[in-house]
Amino acid sequence: MIGNLPMILVGAVLIAVFSIIIGLLLMGFDRIVAARMQARIGPPLTQPFTDIRKLLAKENVVPENAIPWLFNLAPVLALASAITILLYLPIAGFAPVLSGGGDLILVMYLLTIPALALVAGGFASGSPYATVGAQREMVTMIAYEFPLAIVIIAIAWKLAAAGIALPFTLASIQANPVWSLVGPLGVIGLLILLIVLLIVTPAELSRVPFDTPEAETELAGGILVEYSGKNLALFSLTQGVKTVAMASLVVALFFPYSLAAILGIAGIPAAVTDILFFIVLITIVAFLSVSLVRVSMARFRINQVISVYWIYLAIAGLAGLLLVMTDQIVGVI
Amino acid sequence: MSTEKVKKTVPYTVPIGPVHPALKEPVMFTFGMEGEIVRTVDFAPGQTHRGIEWMGMRRNPVQIVHLTDRICGICGIVHSLSFARAVEQIAEIQVPERADYIRTILHELERIQSHLLWAGVAAHELGFDSLFYLTWRVREQSMDLIENLTGNRVNYGIVQIGGVRRDISDEQRVLAEKGLDYYQGLLDKMATLFLEDSTILMRCRGHGILSEQDARLLCTIGPTARASGLNMDVRQDYPYCAYGDLDVKAILPPPETGGPKGDVYDRIIVRLLEVGQSIGIIRQCLENLPAGEILWEPKMAKLLAVLKKAEGEGIGRVEAPRGECMHYVKMAGKEAPESWKVKASSYSNLMSWIPMLQGEQLADVPIIVASIDPCLSCTDRVAVTRNGRSDILTKEDLSRLSREKTRRMMQ
Amino acid sequence: MAGLPFVPEVLKQLFSRPATNAFPARHLPPSVTEFLAKVARGEAQIHPPVPTPPKFRGKIVYDREACIGCSLCIRVCPAHAIEFIPETKRVRIYVTQCIFCSQCNDVCPKDALHMSSDFLLATEDRYAESQIVE
Ligand code: SF4
Ligand code: SF4
């Protein structure tokens, strides 16, 4: 472990830089595609970078009745934890930088930390809008956690049933794409689970229709209303990194393929192909679950967010799980 | 209820306004909240008083017509038309038939434009920005048509005392007919996008309910009242301009959609159907456009002389996109009118916010507030400030002040 | 798509041309005058402006020679934008105050006032030369 430390540090820095850059590019891509879908031209691809640069140059206002240390700590915590998630996820076919026994469960927990940091920051702002936003964020979090857990458990169960050791590690998921383990029924089940995960993503990222915590029209930005300058820049970066993290999770769980292996390339070209392939994959995921969804619906009310996740998606997820299980049993017989 | 009292009875209050993204125009709301539920509502309009009536008292009617255009950025025709009608009543001016038809055409074009604007705002308040962009994009067509007919996109400056200032040429007629075809085709698409969308249905059905009884008691008007099932429309009840020749019926939410429930959804339906109705009205007017003059007196100097001699009171009422708009004018043989009072349509609808909002969720506040299509800049007629502090006048204060004013005017 | 009629619509829009009216230039040029000179020389392209309709009411034009100083225009101007100059017996119009109603055009017995289609009038100085017509 100690000997690994330099490697881990280098890996962590690389991942941080990679995820921030790709995250911002993904945000820029999302803005362009969303604009096109709304028949607008939209900003250039690099607009998020410009925005961050501008935010960093701006004054960092701390409201009078805020709790300063918590208010300032929250964005740092959010970004750090978002990057940490990526350290546990396989990126572009490379093994995760950090890995241990149950890292899928760990990823699930880590995913909640940026949201919790946001909630803490919201409560610490001392504004009624931010308070309402923070309450909503907590409720949203509780709502989407359940379907997310179903998806993860379904996949791990499948791997375990197929006799693979350490089913919760992403490395084994990486090595054994789930699609190849199931029959036709299971494919339908997995498709349903994929859709569930794609619908959990916008809530995880606070985008329409699940952007209730930020709800521009009634809460004026809600949880982020008091943030400005450097702190807001950190939250924007978190948003970008979280987009990468969620998209990578989808890719890692459902599409752990390597284009280079399929094409039979090796060495440096293989790494390049795989990185590009990975970027294309997460871009597609981001388009489907963020851009397309956010331009084609109205925002949900908070109780509707709960019913969507706890009733519709939970049922869909369980149905998916059941299909995968049936498939397994039928397959064994 | 005063803010202090609200604070005592509910856990916490959320202020919205006077400047807030949910509001397109300034008004101050104070909500007493219990969790996400709105328990008490208090609102204070009067944040954009501009003293338009005061300006009017220093101008002659021919000048005021263009001032009325600017009472509201959307209802330019509505205000100038009701003012002109009041003055025409006083001076016994007979508006030529052709002018009446052109007035009607523009009046209805304005309604199309206004309802589309509202639909876009409503979509935005629901967090559905793509629909907002789409609606506003197609609204451009009606703005272009209005610009072509009147010379400007807003502040049309088309109505004159005794008629209209511009005729509709044959080419413009072709253009207008093309525009109508476009909207006819568009309407079905709009109806699908708004009424078949399950997220809009989820957010609007059964929310912001105004019962028929409340609607009647609070004297609501226009689409807000019609969505609650009140069969009223100035165009039907007191026809003016060309409406007497046309068959205009107040539009109520049709029974196929579940009959008048008085919720936000019904208000969307009523407005969408009214766009269709307006298209029909314009079509009819274009077909039957009578020939003749467009002004009672083309020479403005003569018109001014007549108006200067005019004495008496007049009331102009028209059905604005938001409900009845009324102008009261009193002339006493001088250049400027002795009194001019504007009652914009939103004024009658504001009180309906209270029953609509109580018991709703905070998330629904923007769409419910927007659902009556409030236009506050035209509504704000008074602002009382004393020593730099604004006061709230009670009903008793107001009736005392108006009695005093009447007495002054009688002398 | 059942319940979400907007999905096909946005996908269609994704592949069609945006409806936005483009700015004259894609980016703000370092020097606007230089850019315009380049356009005049045919070295650069600008997006053509949206045309104004016929009978558009833009900046007012005044034919000083035709005017007889009857000051009727002052009487009908809603915005009090016209001032009478007793020495010359002519009028002066403050464009910043004008509301482009063209009522003065209608009333002028000598047809000395007209509306042009010029609408790019913004400046920082109310009394700039471009804002006063006499
Ligand atoms: S166009 Fe109207 S506002 Fe302008 S100077 Fe003439 S009358 Fe006055
Ligand atoms: S109305 Fe015409 S002629 Fe008379 S003062 Fe004005 S510009 Fe001159």
Side-chain angles (χ1 to χ4, degrees):
Chain A
M1 196 68 200
I2 301 290
N4 266 347
L5 203 57
M7 273 307 285
I8 290 177
L9 278 181
V10 170
V13 170
L14 278 181
I15 291 277
V17 172
F18 174 82
S19 61
I20 286 177
I21 293 178
I22 297 293
L24 290 181
L25 284 176
L26 268 187
M27 281 162 83
F29 172 77
D30 164 62
R31 286 175 68 171
I32 293 183
V33 200
R36 287 300 156 96
M37 284 193 274
Q38 296 170 334
R40 295 183 291 122
I41 293 176
L45 187 62
T46 52
Q47 188 63 41
F49 293 90
T50 321
D51 290 349
I52 297 284
R53 207 171 64 215
K54 183 160 182 184
L55 281 177
L56 288 177
K58 292 259 173 183
E59 189 192 356
N60 197 6
V61 181
V62 180
E64 221 170 76
N65 42 1
I67 308 165
W69 67 269
L70 191 54
F71 184 81
N72 288 323
L73 180 68
V76 181
L77 197 63
L79 182 59
S81 53
I83 293 177
T84 317
I85 305 171
L86 278 167
L87 299 185
Y88 284 94
L89 290 175
I91 305 268
F94 300 111
V97 176
L98 296 172
S99 52
D103 43 7
L104 205 45
I105 305 285
L106 189 61
V107 165
M108 251 185 76
Y109 277 112
L110 280 174
L111 270 174
T112 60
I113 295 184
L116 282 176
L118 205 56
V119 169
F123 278 127
S125 315
S127 141
Y129 298 133
T131 310
V132 176
Q135 289 166 359
R136 289 183 179 182
E137 176 72 40
M138 278 199 302
V139 175
T140 315
M141 219 161 71
I142 296 167
Y144 66 68
E145 225 38 57
F146 185 37
L148 179 64
I150 295 179
V151 175
I152 288 180
I153 287 170
I155 293 196
W157 182 87
K158 177 70 224 173
L159 291 185
I164 288 155
L166 298 174
F168 274 104
T169 57
L170 280 149
S172 28
I173 296 176
Q174 177 81 6
N176 307 285
V178 273
W179 303 96
S180 55
L181 300 176
V182 292
L185 259 187
V187 170
I188 299 175
L190 283 179
L191 271 178
I192 295 177
L193 291 173
L194 173 62
I195 291 172
V196 170
L197 190 56
L198 285 179
I199 300 179
V200 169
T201 310
E204 183 71 61
L205 302 175
S206 272
R207 307 307 290 264
V208 177
F210 306 107
D211 67 334
T212 334
E214 282 168 32
E216 184 244 329
T217 44
E218 71 256 24
L219 295 183
I223 214 161
L224 291 176
V225 70
E226 296 294 347
Y227 276 102
S228 56
K230 186 183 103 259
N231 284 341
L232 188 58
L234 287 179
F235 271 132
S236 306
L237 290 178
T238 312
Q239 177 76 9
V241 175
K242 259 166 77 181
T243 314
V244 177
M246 274 312 282
S248 312
L249 182 64
V250 177
V251 173
L253 288 180
F254 288 95
F255 309 103
Y257 297 106
S258 148
L259 188 64
I262 298 170
L263 296 179
I265 315 174
I268 301 277
V272 174
T273 335
D274 267 350
I275 290 178
L276 290 179
F277 182 59
F278 176 76
I279 292 174
V280 170
L281 279 182
I282 60 173
T283 312
I284 294 173
V285 171
F287 170 74
L288 287 178
S289 64
V290 176
S291 315
L292 184 60
V293 173
R294 87 178 169 100
V295 296
S296 39
M297 329 189 167
R299 176 182 308 121
F300 288 132
R301 218 178 284 130
I302 189 72
N303 59 336
Q304 291 168 341
V305 170
I306 299 179
S307 54
V308 163
Y309 282 115
W310 278 11
I311 302 175
Y312 301 108
L313 283 186
I315 291 175
L318 288 175
L321 179 61
L322 222 64
L323 281 173
V324 173
M325 285 175 145
T326 330
D327 178 70
Q328 172 73 19
I329 293 160
V330 174
V332 170
I333 295 165
Chain B
M1 215 189 271
S2 71
T3 326
E4 280 71 46
K5 233 158 121 199
V6 167
K7 277 208 180 105
K8 270 183 213 137
T9 50
V10 291
Y12 68 106
T13 56
V14 171
I16 287 194
V19 178
H20 187 282
L23 305 165
K24 301 301 164 251
E25 282 175 87
V27 56
M28 174 75 203
F29 281 97
T30 315
F31 294 110
M33 304 290 302
E34 209 181 290
E36 285 269 330
I37 309 289
V38 175
R39 287 288 169 226
T40 56
V41 186
D42 187 20
F43 70 92
Q47 321 277 341
T48 49
H49 177 56
R50 295 169 295 166
I52 286 223
E53 284 159 340
W54 184 89
M55 286 165 80
M57 313 299 252
R58 278 140 194 88
R59 282 166 169 81
N60 60 42
V62 170
Q63 291 172 314
I64 301 178
V65 187
H66 297 287
L67 185 62
T68 56
D69 237 346
R70 282 148 181 88
I71 291 177
C72 176
I74 305 166
C75 298
I77 307 255
V78 163
H79 283 286
S80 49
L81 189 56
S82 48
F83 174 79
R85 287 183 52 76
V87 174
E88 282 153 11
Q89 207 180 329
I90 300 170
E92 282 165 11
I93 290 172
Q94 198 64 44
V95 178
E97 245 199 331
R98 188 176 174 87
D100 261 344
Y101 270 74
I102 296 180
R103 282 177 172 189
T104 311
I105 292 172
L106 292 165
H107 191 22
E108 293 303 324
L109 268 177
E110 185 172 82
R111 194 182 317 278
I112 295 181
Q113 176 272 101
S114 170
H115 280 350
L116 287 177
L117 175 123
W118 175 83
V121 171
H124 172 69
E125 302 292 11
L126 288 170
F128 202 157
D129 277 350
S130 310
L131 192 49
F132 155 66
Y133 288 121
L134 182 87
T135 346
W136 277 39
R137 195 169 87 225
V138 298
R139 172 174 175 261
E140 276 307 291
Q141 304 278 340
S142 63
M143 303 294 281
D144 286 350
L145 186 54
I146 291 177
E147 187 183 36
N148 199 293
L149 295 179
T150 68
N152 228 334
R153 283 163 54 90
V154 280
N155 301 150
Y156 322 106
I158 183 93
V159 176
Q160 180 59 282
I161 311 284
V164 286
R165 293 174 62 206
R166 282 189 188 178
D167 204 350
I168 294 185
S169 69
D170 287 339
E171 293 127 59
Q172 284 171 329
R173 219 173 124 155
V174 176
L175 217 80
E177 266 154 17
K178 243 202 247 151
L180 292 181
D181 290 341
Y182 173 77
Y183 278 109
Q184 194 77 60
L186 188 83
L187 206 59
D188 297 332
K189 186 167 155 186
M190 280 293 176
T192 320
L193 293 182
F194 271 96
L195 303 181
E196 282 177 20
D197 193 288
S198 40
T199 49
I200 294 185
L201 186 73
M202 272 164 83
R203 290 289 309 272
C204 298
R205 202 27 135 189
H207 290 278
I209 294 183
L210 180 71
S211 67
E212 185 177 340
Q213 196 192 355
D214 277 346
R216 201 183 303 274
L217 285 179
L218 293 169
C219 302
T220 50
I221 49 173
T224 313
R226 292 196 279 275
S228 292
L230 294 188
N231 187 338
M232 58 185 288
D233 189 321
V234 184
R235 294 174 295 170
Q236 160 195 286
D237 305 336
Y238 303 93
Y240 52 96
C241 289
Y243 293 109
D245 304 349
L246 310 166
D247 186 31
V248 185
K249 288 266 168 291
I251 290 200
L252 301 179
E256 306 88 273
T257 61
K261 286 195 168 70
D263 54 7
V264 175
Y265 205 64
D266 272 349
R267 277 168 230 139
I268 299 181
I269 297 178
V270 166
R271 291 204 174 87
L272 285 177
L273 290 178
E274 283 189 12
V275 174
Q277 183 188 35
S278 294
I279 297 174
I281 295 176
I282 303 174
R283 277 241 166 83
Q284 266 182 320
C285 286
L286 282 173
E287 261 161 40
N288 308 325
L289 197 63
E293 290 298 316
I294 54 163
L295 274 172
W296 175 73
E297 174 54 74
K299 289 224 162 34
M300 228 181 291
K302 269 195 200 159
L303 180 66
L304 275 173
V306 171
L307 291 175
K308 197 172 168 179
K309 279 197 234 94
E311 265 180 67
E313 304 172 284
I315 287 183
R317 305 169 67 180
V318 304
E319 179 75 18
R322 291 157 184 75
E324 182 190 16
C325 166
M326 200 171 84
H327 280 229
Y328 164 84
V329 183
K330 181 175 180 190
M331 310 261 287
K334 295 212 193 73
E335 277 267 332
E338 181 163 291
S339 178
W340 173 35
K341 181 85 202 126
V342 181
K343 197 230 46 148
S345 30
S346 293
Y347 182 77
S348 308
N349 284 336
L350 295 188
M351 286 314 282
S352 65
W353 271 333
I354 293 180
M356 279 183 204
L357 286 167
Q358 262 163 5
E360 292 293 346
Q361 291 199 6
L362 185 62
D364 290 324
V365 166
I367 182 64
I368 295 177
V369 166
S371 74
I372 68 162
D373 202 357
C375 192
L376 294 156
S377 304
C378 14
T379 302
D380 287 345
R381 286 279 87 78
V382 267
V384 185
T385 56
R386 224 168 264 142
N387 308 329
R389 188 171 69 85
S390 60
D391 274 335
I392 291 177
L393 296 185
T394 60
K395 189 176 160 199
E396 287 72 40
D397 294 333
L398 284 176
S399 73
R400 178 176 47 80
L401 284 171
S402 11
R403 269 200 300 277
E404 279 168 14
K405 180 163 184 195
T406 317
R407 215 164 289 139
R408 268 203 313 278
M409 284 171 67
M410 303 289 276
Q411 279 161 13
Chain C
M1 217 165 161
L4 291 174
F6 217 85
V7 173
E9 183 66 32
V10 288
L11 289 177
K12 205 167 77 200
Q13 281 175 6
L14 180 61
F15 297 104
S16 38
R17 270 170 69 101
T20 320
N21 289 329
F23 276 114
R26 194 170 152 73
H27 298 291
L28 181 66
S31 152
V32 176
T33 35
E34 215 167 89
F35 177 70
L36 288 179
K38 260 194 193 164
V39 172
R41 273 182 270 125
E43 287 166 24
Q45 290 258 317
I46 69 172
H47 295 287
V50 178
T52 51
K55 297 216 266 177
F56 175 80
R57 302 192 300 262
K59 184 180 172 184
I60 199 160
V61 280
Y62 174 46
D63 180 354
R64 213 180 148 76
E65 304 310 310
C67 173
I68 51 167
C70 67
S71 68
L72 266 178
C73 49
I74 298 176
R75 225 184 128 204
V76 299
C77 175
H80 297 167
I82 313 181
E83 182 185 38
F84 189 68
I85 313 285
E87 298 85 66
T88 54
K89 296 222 164 31
R90 290 294 177 268
V91 294
R92 175 186 293 150
I93 303 134
Y94 294 92
V95 178
T96 41
Q97 202 152 336
C98 172
I99 57 171
F100 310 101
C101 65
S102 98
Q103 192 138 270
C104 51
N105 298 200
D106 295 358
V107 80
C108 178
K110 291 289 160 195
D111 212 12
L113 294 165
H114 292 278
M115 306 309 267
S116 67
S117 59
D118 193 1
F119 62 90
L120 292 171
L121 305 174
T123 108
E124 286 163 2
D125 178 11
R126 291 196 119 202
Y127 301 106
E129 210 180 309
S130 62
Q131 305 296 312
I132 293 175
V133 176
E134 44 185 348

